Amino acid sequence: MMRKVLRRGALLLAMLPALAIAQQAEKLYQQHCAGCHGAGRTGAMGPALLPENLERLRRAGAVKVIADGLVATQMPAYGGKLSAAEIDALVNYIYTPPAVRPQWGLAEIKASRIEHVRPGTLGDKPLFAADPLNLFVVVETGDHHVTILDGDRFEPLVRFASRFALHGGPKFSPDGRYVYFASRDGWISKYDLYNLKTVAELRAGINTRNAAVSGDGRYVMVANYLPHTLVVLDARDLAPLKIIAVQDGKGRTSRVSAVYDAAPRKSFVAALKDIPEVWEVSYDQNAPPIHGGLVHDYRMGEGIATKGYLNPRRTLLDDYLDDFFFDPSYAYVIGAARDGGKGQVVNLDVRRRIADVPLPGLPHLGSGITWQWQGRTVLATPNLREGVVSVIDMKTWQPVKQIATNGPGFFMRSHERTRYAWVDAFSSAKRDTLQIIDKDKLEVVASVTPAPGKTAAHVEFTRDGRYALVSVWEMDGALVVYDAQTFKEVKRLPMKRPVGKYNVYNKITRSEGTSH
């Protein structure tokens, strides 16, 4: 018995230094981290340090960042100031949810707004000779910068620092003059492509998935993981107009997986992470009222209705729909079912799931594209789990063909003026090679390897479809330009992990070969 007591005492004595350090973790954070990352870990000059914001950074990676710092950022190295035990305690602290869930409401959003340029002080014509509709917006996450690229000469017009970890793809105003960026820690930035200046910024959330711009150019809607909200902004100056709490009829709240504009419907459509519903939020001020419950005849004024303008119209589902793709009419959304192995088709007019699509693995329908094949419209989607591209008839919702690829992929892109579609193998051993599919034959006919051993991903085409731009997705990466017909390399520009590039014309005209 005495031996057990002594061993237990020795163990407790050995644990005391670690316990003391753990108790000091918050103090260490306030001393070394709060100035950049906020006293409540919700972010300031640096990103938020909450579990939701750190989901893509493993703990070992966080230890390395704290110890060694981050190149090309303001994050210093603390390896010489803090012990290994203190760094471990800090990592445990930032990966632990706070006792009180952080709030980010209208007051915080309004207080965050920064006006970089007074309205009406910039000219209405481009300051450069390049075609403003053939510009590329290139997001470089390696050192958190954006390059504006001339799509005719493939020369940068400007390169500027962005907010931390831009996410969800930039979105454009309908005329192509402005581009709106969303960062993972909630910052929305409005950038004037004519004058090459950031106009305004505002923090709409603590952890943000993406943003969408309305087809009439009047609104920006922001999808948040934290807090569980959709935020509507005035696209002119980013002033907040409305916060929509995301919850079901029982009060259960949800993160928002994604929000996209459905311009023909004059609405935003949002997928929810934790509630099996799809929401449609109309920005038409004459939108019909929303009846939340069952009524005998809504035309007779039965039931208590909610205004249709900027309020959610719900479609209840049997399964969750994390991300989705619109059909060309925007009446249907097609998304992967969470249990895998199938997709689900939802009709936004009748507000219900109308079909299942048998699909292997986990199709990445958010990266799907369409084209005309044998007189019908087909949807093609890469797969996050299997080496296959699924081609689906959008009338019968049945697979036309499963095209074998090098491995699980993330992005697929094409253009109306090319017969080829390009797909990566992002999550496989052959991630350095892109395969090229003939859209008529529905088979792989060629491949390119921009940089052996380095990840190749995310293709985007020039306005006329003549050239395909590919990202070498590495810190010492590059943007590689290919002739879209011969697949020969035309030019290579060194870049810092260029995760995506977005052509103005293709985006604002809703090219069938790119995501929306």
Side-chain angles (χ1 to χ4, degrees):
M1 177 66 73
M2 182 60 68
R3 287 181 180 178
K4 287 184 179 179
V5 171
L6 289 172
R7 281 201 299 269
R8 188 175 300 167
L11 180 61
L12 288 172
L13 285 172
M15 291 174 60
L16 282 176
L19 289 170
I21 290 171
Q23 291 170 354
Q24 291 177 3
E26 183 173 0
K27 189 175 181 180
L28 287 170
Y29 176 87
Q30 295 300 332
Q31 180 181 351
H32 298 289
C33 313
C36 287
H37 298 280
R41 297 158 53 195
T42 55
M45 181 172 61
L49 297 179
L50 298 164
E52 294 93 335
N53 298 69
L54 297 168
E55 59 186 0
R56 291 194 176 185
L57 179 66
R58 297 182 184 276
R59 289 179 179 242
V63 169
K64 181 173 175 57
V65 169
I66 294 171
D68 301 338
L70 278 176
V71 177
T73 74
Q74 296 184 51
M75 175 66 192
Y78 285 97
K81 298 179 180 179
L82 302 177
S83 68
E86 288 174 324
I87 291 175
D88 285 339
L90 267 176
V91 170
N92 288 333
Y93 178 69
I94 64 177
Y95 278 87
T96 301
V100 178
R101 193 175 187 86
Q103 299 298 311
W104 199 258
L106 189 60
E108 290 83 2
I109 293 173
K110 286 183 175 180
S112 73
R113 185 176 172 276
I114 303 169
E115 185 176 86
H116 293 285
V117 178
R118 287 190 298 109
T121 60
L122 296 176
D124 292 329
K125 293 185 178 180
L127 298 179
F128 44 83
D131 178 359
L133 295 182
N134 198 31
L135 299 181
F136 285 85
V137 175
V138 187
V139 175
E140 299 179 66
T141 61
D143 60 355
H144 307 289
H145 276 70
V146 171
T147 293
I148 307 300
L149 187 74
D150 178 346
D152 293 319
R153 298 184 302 117
F154 305 116
E155 293 288 343
L157 297 180
V158 68
R159 187 175 189 267
F160 58 94
S162 73
R163 290 286 175 175
F164 182 84
L166 297 186
H167 189 63
K171 300 300 189 295
F172 297 88
S173 60
D175 61 0
R177 173 172 176 174
Y178 298 104
V179 58
Y180 299 82
F181 300 99
S183 75
R184 183 171 288 279
D185 54 347
W187 282 97
I188 307 300
S189 305
K190 179 179 181 178
Y191 187 85
D192 186 336
L193 285 169
Y194 285 9
N195 293 278
L196 304 178
K197 289 182 180 294
T198 299
V199 176
E201 294 181 290
L202 171 144
R203 194 175 186 194
I206 297 171
N207 184 286
T208 291
R209 293 301 294 172
N210 75 324
V213 178
S214 63
D216 59 9
R218 294 177 59 191
Y219 306 97
V220 177
M221 179 168 276
V222 184
N224 285 326
Y225 257 27
L226 182 66
H228 296 173
T229 57
L230 286 162
V231 179
V232 186
L233 308 175
D234 188 319
R236 294 171 299 180
D237 57 5
L238 297 187
L241 298 177
K242 185 173 184 178
I243 297 176
I244 303 172
V246 180
Q247 60 183 31
D248 65 8
K250 298 179 180 179
R252 294 177 299 183
T253 66
S254 176
R255 296 165 289 175
V256 186
S257 298
V259 64
Y260 299 111
D261 175 54
R265 303 177 67 85
K266 298 182 180 180
S267 66
F268 295 109
V269 178
L272 310 185
K273 188 79 172 176
D274 309 305
I275 297 172
E277 297 180 4
V278 172
W279 283 15
E280 183 171 15
V281 181
S282 178
Y283 49 80
D284 181 356
Q285 297 196 24
N286 297 314
I290 299 167
H291 293 270
L294 296 174
V295 296
H296 180 263
D297 189 340
Y298 69 88
R299 292 169 298 180
M300 300 301 292
E302 297 181 69
I304 300 174
T306 302
K307 288 183 178 180
Y309 172 63
L310 294 185
N311 283 307
R313 191 181 299 272
R314 305 164 185 264
T315 296
L316 307 184
L317 303 173
D318 297 323
D319 194 5
Y320 299 89
L321 189 146
D322 281 347
D323 204 355
F324 58 88
F325 181 88
F326 287 109
D327 82 313
S329 74
Y330 285 77
Y332 299 89
V333 296
I334 308 95
R338 187 171 292 181
D339 55 8
K342 62 183 177 181
Q344 52 183 325
V345 183
V346 177
N347 185 304
L348 293 173
D349 293 325
V350 300
R351 303 213 307 276
R352 63 181 176 86
R353 178 174 177 165
I354 55 95
D356 288 327
V357 183
L359 293 170
L362 184 61
H364 188 211
L365 286 155
S367 189
I369 61 174
T370 63
W371 67 80
Q372 295 300 307
W373 181 76
Q374 296 186 0
R376 45 186 160 163
T377 303
V378 294
L379 160 67
T381 173
N383 199 292
L384 297 171
R385 289 184 185 162
E386 298 190 15
V388 64
V389 165
S390 299
V391 184
I392 304 158
D393 185 323
M394 298 189 77
K395 185 174 183 180
T396 64
W397 302 114
Q398 293 300 307
V400 171
K401 189 173 182 179
Q402 307 286 359
I403 304 172
T405 64
N406 282 336
F410 201 86
F411 297 105
M412 187 173 186
R413 294 288 184 267
S414 187
H415 191 277
E416 301 89 287
R417 296 186 183 180
T418 176
R419 66 179 292 172
Y420 303 109
W422 300 48
V423 64
D424 63 44
F426 194 88
S427 301
S428 77
K430 295 185 178 180
R431 64 186 184 278
D432 60 355
T433 298
L434 292 162
Q435 291 180 287
I436 299 166
I437 295 170
D438 186 307
K439 295 189 293 187
D440 294 329
K441 298 178 180 179
L442 301 185
E443 61 185 43
V444 175
V445 295
S447 63
V448 297
T449 305
K454 297 183 178 181
T455 303
H458 196 277
V459 178
E460 178 68 298
F461 288 78
T462 51
R463 172 180 178 172
D464 57 11
R466 289 182 58 195
Y467 299 97
L469 282 66
V470 176
S471 290
V472 176
W473 200 304
E474 305 285 349
M475 188 65 182
D476 57 341
L479 197 65
V480 185
V481 183
Y482 287 93
D483 185 300
Q485 295 301 114
T486 66
F487 317 134
K488 301 296 184 184
E489 182 175 330
V490 174
K491 192 169 185 176
R492 183 175 295 236
L493 293 83
M495 291 194 177
K496 301 290 187 183
R497 191 174 287 131
V499 296
K501 80 289 303 166
Y502 308 87
N503 181 269
V504 174
Y505 182 82
N506 291 343
K507 291 299 183 183
I508 66 174
T509 60
R510 301 177 184 271
S511 166
E512 67 179 16
T514 188
S515 64
H516 302 155

Coordinates of all heavy atoms in Angstrom, one line a residue, residues 238-267:
L238 N -20.6 47.7 -48.6 CA -20.5 46.6 -47.7 C -21.2 46.9 -46.3 O -20.9 46.3 -45.3 CB -19.0 46.2 -47.4 CG -18.2 45.7 -48.6 CD1 -16.9 45.2 -48.2 CD2 -19.0 44.6 -49.3
A239 N -22.1 47.9 -46.3 CA -22.8 48.1 -45.1 C -23.7 46.9 -44.8 O -24.4 46.4 -45.7 CB -23.7 49.4 -45.2
P240 N -23.8 46.5 -43.5 CA -24.7 45.3 -43.2 C -26.1 45.7 -43.3 O -26.5 46.8 -42.8 CB -24.2 45.0 -41.8 CG -23.6 46.2 -41.2 CD -23.0 46.9 -42.4
L241 N -26.9 44.9 -43.9 CA -28.4 45.1 -44.1 C -29.2 44.2 -43.2 O -30.2 44.6 -42.7 CB -28.8 44.9 -45.5 CG -28.1 45.8 -46.6 CD1 -28.6 45.5 -48.0 CD2 -28.5 47.3 -46.3
K242 N -28.7 43.0 -43.0 CA -29.5 42.0 -42.2 C -28.7 40.8 -41.8 O -27.8 40.4 -42.6 CB -30.7 41.5 -43.1 CG -31.7 40.6 -42.3 CD -32.9 40.3 -43.1 CE -33.9 39.5 -42.2 NZ -35.2 39.2 -43.0
I243 N -28.9 40.3 -40.6 CA -28.3 39.1 -40.2 C -29.5 38.1 -40.0 O -30.5 38.3 -39.4 CB -27.6 39.2 -38.8 CG1 -26.5 40.2 -38.9 CG2 -27.1 37.8 -38.3 CD1 -25.8 40.5 -37.6
I244 N -29.3 36.9 -40.7 CA -30.3 35.9 -40.6 C -29.8 34.7 -39.8 O -28.8 34.1 -40.1 CB -30.7 35.3 -42.0 CG1 -31.2 36.5 -42.9 CG2 -31.8 34.2 -42.0 CD1 -31.3 36.1 -44.4
A245 N -30.4 34.5 -38.6 CA -30.0 33.4 -37.8 C -30.4 32.1 -38.4 O -31.6 31.9 -38.9 CB -30.7 33.5 -36.4
V246 N -29.5 31.1 -38.5 CA -29.7 29.9 -39.2 C -30.2 28.8 -38.2 O -29.3 28.3 -37.5 CB -28.5 29.4 -40.0 CG1 -28.8 28.1 -40.8 CG2 -28.1 30.5 -41.0
Q247 N -31.4 28.5 -38.2 CA -32.0 27.5 -37.3 C -33.3 26.9 -37.9 O -33.9 27.5 -38.7 CB -32.2 28.1 -35.9 CG -33.2 29.2 -35.9 CD -33.4 29.8 -34.5 OE1 -32.4 29.8 -33.7 NE2 -34.5 30.3 -34.1
D248 N -33.6 25.7 -37.4 CA -34.8 25.1 -37.9 C -36.0 25.4 -37.0 O -35.9 26.2 -36.1 CB -34.7 23.6 -38.1 CG -34.4 22.9 -36.7 OD1 -34.5 23.5 -35.7 OD2 -34.1 21.7 -36.8
G249 N -37.2 24.8 -37.2 CA -38.3 25.1 -36.5 C -38.3 24.7 -35.0 O -39.1 25.2 -34.2
K250 N -37.3 23.8 -34.7 CA -37.1 23.4 -33.3 C -36.1 24.1 -32.6 O -35.7 23.8 -31.4 CB -36.8 21.9 -33.3 CG -37.9 21.0 -33.9 CD -37.5 19.5 -33.9 CE -38.6 18.7 -34.5 NZ -38.3 17.2 -34.6
G251 N -35.5 25.1 -33.2 CA -34.5 25.9 -32.6 C -33.0 25.4 -32.7 O -32.1 26.0 -32.2
R252 N -32.9 24.3 -33.5 CA -31.5 23.8 -33.7 C -30.8 24.7 -34.7 O -31.3 25.0 -35.8 CB -31.6 22.3 -34.3 CG -32.1 21.3 -33.3 CD -32.2 19.9 -33.9 NE -33.1 20.0 -35.1 CZ -33.5 18.9 -35.8 NH1 -32.9 17.7 -35.5 NH2 -34.3 19.0 -36.8
T253 N -29.6 25.1 -34.4 CA -28.8 26.0 -35.2 C -27.9 25.2 -36.2 O -27.6 24.0 -35.9 CB -28.0 27.0 -34.4 OG1 -27.0 26.3 -33.7 CG2 -28.9 27.7 -33.5
S254 N -27.4 25.9 -37.2 CA -26.6 25.2 -38.2 C -25.5 26.1 -38.8 O -25.7 27.3 -39.0 CB -27.4 24.6 -39.3 OG -26.6 24.0 -40.3
R255 N -24.3 25.5 -39.0 CA -23.3 26.1 -39.9 C -23.9 26.2 -41.3 O -24.7 25.3 -41.7 CB -22.0 25.3 -39.8 CG -21.4 25.3 -38.5 CD -20.3 24.2 -38.4 NE -20.9 22.9 -38.4 CZ -20.2 21.7 -38.5 NH1 -18.9 21.8 -38.6 NH2 -20.8 20.6 -38.5
V256 N -23.4 27.1 -42.1 CA -23.8 27.2 -43.5 C -22.7 26.7 -44.3 O -21.5 27.2 -44.3 CB -24.1 28.7 -43.9 CG1 -24.7 28.7 -45.3 CG2 -25.1 29.3 -42.9
S257 N -22.9 25.6 -45.1 CA -21.9 25.0 -45.9 C -21.5 25.9 -47.1 O -20.3 25.9 -47.5 CB -22.4 23.6 -46.5 OG -22.7 22.8 -45.4
A258 N -22.5 26.5 -47.7 CA -22.2 27.3 -48.9 C -23.4 28.1 -49.3 O -24.6 27.8 -49.0 CB -21.8 26.4 -50.1
V259 N -23.2 29.2 -50.0 CA -24.3 30.1 -50.5 C -23.9 30.5 -51.9 O -22.7 30.8 -52.2 CB -24.6 31.3 -49.6 CG1 -23.4 32.3 -49.6 CG2 -25.8 32.0 -50.1
Y260 N -24.9 30.4 -52.8 CA -24.6 30.8 -54.2 C -25.8 31.6 -54.7 O -26.9 31.6 -54.2 CB -24.5 29.5 -55.1 CG -23.3 28.7 -54.7 CD1 -23.6 27.4 -54.2 CD2 -22.0 29.1 -54.9 CE1 -22.5 26.6 -53.8 CE2 -20.9 28.2 -54.6 CZ -21.2 27.0 -54.0 OH -20.1 26.2 -53.6
D261 N -25.5 32.4 -55.8 CA -26.5 33.2 -56.4 C -27.2 32.4 -57.5 O -26.6 31.8 -58.3 CB -25.9 34.5 -57.0 CG -26.9 35.3 -57.8 OD1 -27.9 35.7 -57.2 OD2 -26.7 35.6 -59.0
A262 N -28.6 32.5 -57.4 CA -29.4 32.0 -58.5 C -30.0 33.1 -59.2 O -31.2 33.5 -59.0 CB -30.4 31.0 -57.9
A263 N -29.3 33.7 -60.1 CA -29.7 35.0 -60.7 C -31.1 34.9 -61.4 O -31.9 35.8 -61.3 CB -28.6 35.5 -61.7
P264 N -31.4 33.9 -62.2 CA -32.7 33.9 -62.9 C -33.8 33.8 -61.9 O -35.0 34.2 -62.2 CB -32.6 32.6 -63.7 CG -31.2 32.3 -63.9 CD -30.5 32.8 -62.7
R265 N -33.6 33.4 -60.7 CA -34.6 33.3 -59.6 C -34.6 34.5 -58.7 O -35.5 34.7 -57.8 CB -34.4 32.1 -58.8 CG -34.4 30.8 -59.6 CD -34.1 29.6 -58.7 NE -35.2 29.3 -57.7 CZ -36.3 28.6 -58.0 NH1 -36.5 28.1 -59.2 NH2 -37.3 28.5 -57.1
K266 N -33.6 35.4 -58.9 CA -33.4 36.6 -58.1 C -33.4 36.2 -56.6 O -34.0 36.7 -55.7 CB -34.6 37.6 -58.2 CG -34.7 38.2 -59.7 CD -35.8 39.2 -59.8 CE -35.9 39.8 -61.2 NZ -37.0 40.8 -61.3
S267 N -32.5 35.2 -56.4 CA -32.4 34.7 -55.0 C -31.0 34.1 -54.7 O -30.2 33.8 -55.6 CB -33.4 33.6 -54.8 OG -33.2 32.4 -55.6

